[in-house]
Amino acid sequence: MSIEKFSFPTPIHFGVGARKLVGPHLKNLGFKRPLIVTDKALNDLPLMAEFIAHLSGLEVAVYAGVHGNPTASQVTAGGAAFKAHNADCVIGLGGGASLDVAKVVGLAATHDGPILEYAWDHPKVRSITGTLPYFVALPTTSGTGSEVGRAGVLTNSLTHKKKIIFHPKLLPVVVICDPALTVGMPRFITAGTGMDALAHCLEAYCSPFYHPMSQGIALEGMRLVFENLPKVYANPNDLDARAHMMSAAAMGAVAFQKGLGAIHSLSHPVGAVYGTHHGTTNAVVMPMVLEMNRPAIEDRIVKAAAYLGFEGGFAGFHDQIMELRTLLNIPENLSAMGVQFGDLDMLTEMALEDPSCGGNPIAMTRENTRALFDACM
């Protein structure tokens, strides 16, 4: 497989071995002191030492404070690490959490004030006025598509609410997509991140808003997931399927500018309160949300099923999701993930405050959202 280069919405170097291009790329631009932002687990793997070896000639520092769902405190600590190293650029290496933190580390290092005051819904939201450090993103999972997004999602540790910092300046300047970086993922991460990519494509496809380009991207992204996620789950070394999943993840993130919906508005509070894996939580609630939205989306799903080669229209599409969940050993419901019935009223209120609920095909109310949580239990 050759390394290809294309732009949508930012320059992307795509192919096995592309990770080796980062060092020469930065040196050609005159950068000397990168800060790598990654998670604790990845930092301990041989992959990190191998990647740093490709950065020879650069003064490299590593901030490996990312873990679980990213928090504001992780970003603040990363900003401090950037300043301590006197860094001149940021390399984000990891899954969606690491890339979300890496995006905002440069903001924390160059702008004043608590980082959550830059969230779009803060009562006195701060403006991003200055130039952010040069940012290169290397995803090691195929799920969030954070590498092609303009947003960083952070959890407020005090309120357990997820906040979104959104700005065009957060978009990575260049993306390095190397499918070989995803080979070492544990199987449950392969499953959860892959279902996250499917959730992004599915919700974007079903969103009631008008965006025909995203609509087409979402449909093709779903095809890539259904065809390739079972392959990489069965054979982690299938680099062609890994590449297709990496494409699907980026496509989902591009597509969901059309909108997300109840899958994400439910999974965000569950993840914030219980620390569950985001993509896996999306997979758990996906069929129940599909049923809730059926009156508004059935015709659209029937067309998608035909494109994907699924028989049975809406029911056939639903069955394919259930079969994929079973194949990937996704938990059956939220109860199996540890969610407690006593928290459902709180989670309902949090879901209604989540910005994703505004893109659901059926308007989310306190009544139908609570009923949806009950169905997911």
Side-chain angles (χ1 to χ4, degrees):
M1 178 180 181
S2 61
I3 298 172
E4 306 293 342
K5 182 180 179 182
F6 55 93
S7 296
F8 197 83
T10 192
I12 298 171
H13 300 264
F14 191 103
V16 175
R19 66 190 183 280
K20 300 175 184 178
L21 303 177
V22 178
H25 175 79
L26 292 177
K27 284 186 278 190
N28 287 341
L29 293 174
F31 294 106
K32 299 178 180 179
R33 302 182 63 82
L35 174 72
I36 299 175
V37 176
T38 191
D39 64 75
K40 295 179 179 179
L42 185 57
N43 189 47
D44 293 333
L45 296 178
L47 168 65
M48 179 60 73
E50 185 250 8
F51 177 67
I52 292 176
H54 295 309
L55 302 177
S56 60
L58 298 171
E59 295 294 325
V60 180
V62 178
Y63 169 67
V66 182
H67 56 92
N69 290 302
T71 63
S73 60
Q74 293 175 21
V75 170
T76 301
F82 184 96
K83 292 179 181 178
H85 182 55
N86 194 26
D88 55 11
C89 59
V90 175
I91 301 172
L93 177 67
S98 293
L99 297 186
D100 275 11
V101 171
K103 287 178 186 177
V104 195
V105 159
L107 175 62
T110 56
H111 287 65
D112 296 328
I115 198 65
L116 289 179
E117 291 185 3
Y118 292 90
W120 72 273
D121 61 346
H122 191 274
K124 297 181 179 179
V125 59
R126 290 177 178 264
S127 298
I128 300 177
T129 56
T131 300
L132 301 188
Y134 195 89
F135 176 37
V136 179
L138 291 89
T140 61
T141 63
S142 299
T144 68
S146 182
E147 64 274 10
V148 294
R150 301 166 175 83
V153 181
L154 306 176
T155 298
N156 185 325
S157 301
L158 298 178
T159 65
H160 298 293
K161 293 181 179 179
K162 291 197 174 185
K163 295 295 181 179
I164 300 174
I165 299 175
F166 180 90
H167 197 280
K169 290 183 179 181
L170 296 184
L171 184 69
V173 182
V174 66
V175 175
I176 307 294
C177 285
D178 187 338
L181 289 175
T182 69
V183 169
M185 278 192 294
R187 293 182 83 204
F188 82 95
I189 297 295
T190 293
T193 54
M195 291 300 288
D196 193 26
L198 179 60
H200 291 159
C201 292
L202 176 59
E203 291 214 286
Y205 180 75
C206 294
S207 168
F209 303 121
Y210 180 76
H211 198 312
M213 290 179 285
S214 288
Q215 192 76 351
I217 291 169
L219 184 59
E220 178 64 5
M222 284 193 283
R223 184 189 70 81
L224 290 176
V225 174
F226 277 114
E227 290 188 4
N228 293 284
L229 183 52
K231 294 179 182 179
V232 296
Y233 190 73
N235 177 14
N237 296 312
D238 187 335
L239 285 176
D240 284 340
R242 288 283 187 191
H244 288 312
M245 283 303 302
M246 187 164 267
S247 293
M251 291 165 73
V254 170
F256 72 57
Q257 62 184 293
K258 181 173 178 279
L260 293 172
I263 292 175
H264 278 77
S265 63
L266 264 63
S267 69
H268 280 158
V270 171
V273 173
Y274 287 93
T276 59
H277 183 268
H278 173 66
T280 305
T281 312
N282 282 343
V284 168
V285 305
M286 186 180 294
M288 298 78 164
V289 172
L290 198 64
E291 287 289 352
M292 171 191 169
N293 287 329
R294 183 171 185 168
I297 65 172
E298 183 161 6
D299 289 346
R300 187 169 293 184
I301 292 297
V302 167
K303 294 177 182 177
Y307 176 79
L308 296 168
F310 300 159
E311 296 182 355
F314 183 95
F317 185 91
H318 184 278
D319 289 346
Q320 289 292 326
I321 288 178
M322 296 303 291
E323 290 179 16
L324 186 57
R325 291 197 339 158
T326 300
L327 176 68
L328 302 175
N329 292 305
I330 299 296
E332 183 177 357
N333 50 45
L334 291 180
S335 297
M337 300 188 83
V339 177
Q340 302 296 313
F341 277 98
D343 287 336
L344 294 190
D345 285 338
M346 174 188 68
L347 293 172
T348 296
E349 296 302 320
M350 293 172 69
L352 292 171
E353 293 177 6
D354 190 273
S356 299
C357 74
N360 199 61
I362 290 179
M364 296 179 67
T365 66
R366 188 166 285 101
E367 291 73 23
N368 65 16
T369 303
R370 174 55 199 261
L372 181 57
F373 266 118
D374 285 334
C376 293
M377 295 294 285

